[in-house]
């Protein structure tokens, strides 16, 4: 599963809107949308914040993205 799909899945499992997740990560809703569609990737700081927020390891978040 790609990072884009994982972020969307984690957001939906936690019943967050894109706007709510954006506020928690201190980014724009548009950034969340771009991450979820694969049009851009979160930087390392945001990847760390996502892993902390959803209590998953960074490895678990990006594992299948890097071959």
């Amino acid at each position: 599963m790609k990072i884009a799909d994982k972020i969307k899945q984690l957001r939906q499992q936690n019943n967050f809107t894109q706007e709510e997740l954006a506020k928690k990560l201190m980014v724009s809703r548009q950034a969340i949308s771009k991450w979820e569609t694969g049009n851009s990737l979160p930087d390392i700081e945001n990847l760390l914040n996502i892993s902390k927020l959803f209590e998953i390891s960074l490895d678990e978040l990006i594992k299948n993205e890097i071959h």
Side-chain angles (χ1 to χ4, degrees):
M1 182 181 294
K2 293 187 176 213
I3 290 175
D5 298 325
K6 286 186 183 179
I7 292 171
K8 185 173 184 176
Q9 181 182 53
L10 289 165
R11 177 179 62 79
Q12 291 174 336
Q13 286 174 346
N14 287 274
N15 297 314
F16 292 149
T17 63
Q18 286 185 343
E19 185 70 34
E20 290 168 334
L21 180 57
K23 285 181 182 178
K24 290 182 181 297
L25 297 175
M26 295 185 285
V27 298
S28 68
R29 187 209 51 82
Q30 290 84 357
I32 302 296
S33 177
K34 286 179 181 179
W35 297 346
E36 289 185 356
T37 58
N39 289 329
S40 70
L41 292 172
D43 62 21
I44 189 65
E45 184 177 340
N46 283 313
L47 288 171
L48 289 168
N49 290 335
I50 292 166
S51 71
K52 286 179 190 174
L53 177 65
F54 294 120
E55 298 179 348
I56 63 170
S57 70
L58 191 55
D59 185 55
E60 190 177 352
L61 183 60
I62 65 171
K63 188 175 184 178
N64 293 330
E65 189 71 23
I66 301 169
H67 300 287

